Each structure stands twice: as C-alpha cells, then as structure tokens.
Amino acid sequence: MSPPFDLLVIGDANPDVVVGPLPDALAFGQREQLVPYGRLVLGGSAAIAACGAARLGLRVAFAGRVGADAAGAFVRQALAERGVDTGALTVDPELPTPLTTVLTRGADRAILTAPGTLPATGPYDVPERLLAGARHVHAASFFLLPRLARALPELFRAARAGGATTSLDTNDDPDGRWDARLLAPVLRHTDVLLPNAAEARALAAALTTTGADGGTGGGPRTEDGLAATAALLAGHGPLVAVKNGAEGALAHDGTRTWHTAPVPVEPLDAVGAGDSFDAGFLAAVLRGEDTARALEIAAACGALSTRAHGGTAAQPDWPEAVGAAARPPAPAPGGADPGPDPGPGDPDAPHHPKQPHHPKQRNDR
C-alpha cells in the first residue's frame, strides 16, 4: 500500500502583508508613502512550498503551529483551499500567529516578521503517523524555528528509517549566525538541500569556518564560485540545488554539477519564488525525473510564480511547469565541464534519463 501522502511539509505558515513597490527608501518621521499595491496573502516558506507542491499534483500534508486568532484561521483556510491537508496544523491557545510584512522595491524586498508561534513550534507538532505516512519530508525556515531545528535531525532520521526522503530549505538567518553546530547534524540526514545563492554561500562559510567538532573545516572558499560552494555543501551529505535568480540554478551531488538557465517571464512579484522552486524540484524527483530535469522544472516553477503578487497566486500546475521547462539544457557557464554525459545507448548509466537520480539511493549519508 502506498503512503497516504507524497509530501509532508514542516515549518512556518503565516499571513503576508505584501506592499510596494516603494519608489524610494522607506521614510520614517511619520511620513505617509503611497504605493501601487498592497494585499493580504498566504506566507511562510513552508506554506508556500506546500501549496506549490499541491498545485503540481502531489498529496501534501502540513505540520506547524498557528495561533487561535483570525490570522491563524486565514492560514488554515488558505492552505485547505489549495489542497493541503491541515490536520496537523496545531492551534496554540496563547501565542499569536506569526505575521510578516513584505516591502518590495524593484527586484528586492525587505521582510519584517513578528514570530508569534514560531519559537514554540517543535517536534511535538509533527505526528509520528505523518512521518511514517509520507514519501518525502520537507522542512523550511530552519533558523526561524529554533526548537524545531534542534529536533530536526531526529525527525529526519525517523522519516528516513520509515522509507521517506528528506529536504531542507534553511532560508535566511535573521541573527546572521548561520550556526554550523545546529546545521551540521541535520545535513547528515538530509537528502536535498535547497538554498538560494546567498544562503548557500553563508552556509558554506559557516561550515568551513567551524566544523561540527568546533574545529576549522576544510574545502574550497565561497569566493571560488557558486559551484564550489554547492560542492562543499554536498560534501556534508545532501544533493544541493541552488537558486540563483536571473542566472538560473545549479545542482551538485558532490561529484557532478548540473546547470539550468532561467525561464524568461515578465516578473511582477518575486515573493515566494524560491519556495515554488522547492516545490517544483521535489515534485519532479518524486515523479521519477532525474536531477537535470528536476532542476529545469524547478526553475520553471520559480519563474512562473512571479507573474502575480504573493507567493501562491501564479504557481503553475504540472503540465504548465513541464511545458515551460521543455527546452534544451543550458551549457555550463564559462565552459565548465558538466561531467560525463551518458549517451542514449547507455541506459544503465546512473544519470541516463531512463535511470532517474533518487537522492535516497546515495550511500554517502
């Protein structure tokens, strides 16, 4: 019997108040500034990824914590309307639902978050039946959820023991610490790591500066290039897929690098694009696609999600994502060697299109 869910997503869910674009810098001094757009939308990296995966046809459950308030009711309804099971979304009787304000300006944005229930979210919010009943477990906003972060190695270990694969999108660290002692243990149980380029460099720098034992780590420095950064992260266990905005995306498994070009769109709002990328990559892998194709589909999902305001309004379905990704693979930047290419006559090669790459089959974790 197949598991009841393809994907269990663990992490943050909150309303986003998206306002902008600001014409200039934000002004204080009780000045009122007018902007063209403002809307209340579903936010939270984990919640946006869950909605994107459901839109792509996966059976998705969500585990997290909201408050017993109107914001929490909004989150629950928004997830359910997008096909995400909210049976494990805990309601905290005391703490409020997190709330985020996103101020946009051009392609950039500032994010202000009142954490609410985030510090209280922990392993007790993740039912064992869901860990045992999902093909894949994804966690997001690692540094916003300190109690959950400390327990995530054991949660991921239990999920893998039950036959699931795992993935992590740490997102930003508001404290700027990028604590390697917190991160290194969970990477040992993580099949796919999904940072953006800035996060990848910060994570690699932290892991290089301070090893899990408190000593000095080895490996290439982050200035050696994004592929070297991804390789360093892959050396800690996971397949690494890095979102790089207008430059596209790349993946590294510790041996080989894959690149894909960006999908051309007219972007309206980049909020949640990285989370939609995550959803696309996981949906593709769970459908049996190899790493190269999963990277292309993920890049398409991230790009297409920017066509409307908010993180979920323009997320594509599976046929649309596949159609947008249906083009020749991009050459490696700077003529870099993308690694051996198994030809059509070698279907037993590990990266041949008929032999999908499944992170769980790797033995170096």
Side-chain angles (χ1 to χ4, degrees), residues 37 39 55-56 263-273 276 299-321 323-324:
Y37 174 84
R39 183 172 293 178
R55 175 71 172 155
L56 291 166
V263 173
V265 296
E266 290 292 333
L268 187 60
D269 181 0
V271 171
S276 293
C301 289
L304 294 173
S305 76
T306 68
R307 298 169 297 173
H309 288 290
T312 62
Q315 289 177 317
D317 60 16
W318 182 255
E320 186 179 18

Side-chain angles (χ1 to χ4, degrees), residues 55 79 84 89 143 165 203 277 293 316 319 336 339 349:
R55 175 71 172 155
L79 285 167
V84 177
L89 184 56
F143 296 107
T165 45
L203 293 168
F277 176 102
R293 187 59 175 159

Side-chain angles (χ1 to χ4, degrees), residues 255-331:
T255 302
R256 183 181 179 189
T257 308
W258 294 263
H259 295 88
T260 192
V263 173
V265 296
E266 290 292 333
L268 187 60
D269 181 0
V271 171
D275 309 316
S276 293
F277 176 102
D278 296 351
F281 194 90
L282 298 179
V285 169
L286 288 171
R287 285 174 175 265
E289 301 286 355
D290 64 14
T291 300
R293 187 59 175 159
L295 196 65
E296 293 169 1
I297 291 171
C301 289
L304 294 173
S305 76
T306 68
R307 298 169 297 173
H309 288 290
T312 62
Q315 289 177 317
D317 60 16
W318 182 255
E320 186 179 18
V322 169
R327 53 208 190 92

Side-chain angles (χ1 to χ4, degrees), residues 94-254:
E94 298 178 359
L95 294 172
T97 300
L99 184 63
T100 293
T101 298
V102 182
L103 304 175
T104 67
R105 188 172 67 182
D108 200 3
R109 59 190 183 270
I111 303 171
L112 306 174
T113 295
T117 58
L118 294 179
T121 304
Y124 36 75
D125 293 314
V126 185
E128 291 184 7
R129 62 176 177 80
L130 288 182
L131 283 178
R135 296 171 58 205
H136 186 93
V137 178
H138 174 69
S141 295
F142 183 76
F143 296 107
L144 288 180
L145 301 154
R147 190 171 296 184
L148 184 65
R150 290 190 292 271
L152 201 57
E154 179 58 26
L155 290 175
F156 272 13
R157 187 203 64 76
R160 294 173 92 188
T165 45
T166 59
S167 59
L168 174 66
D169 186 344
T170 67
N171 303 102
D172 190 29
D173 180 1
D175 292 332
R177 296 177 57 206
W178 304 94
D179 189 345
R181 292 180 180 85
L182 189 64
L183 181 69
V186 76
L187 291 184
R188 300 188 190 108
H189 302 284
T190 301
D191 291 298
V192 183
L193 180 65
L194 294 154
N196 66 27
E199 292 158 359
R201 293 186 178 102
L203 293 168
L207 290 165
T208 299
T209 302
T210 306
D213 60 355
T216 299
R221 299 293 178 179
T222 57
E223 61 266 22
D224 291 341
L226 190 57
T229 298
L232 186 151
L233 292 171
H236 288 265
L239 170 72
V240 181
V242 183
K243 301 156 272 195
N244 197 21
E247 301 302 316
L250 64 85
H252 207 294
D253 68 353

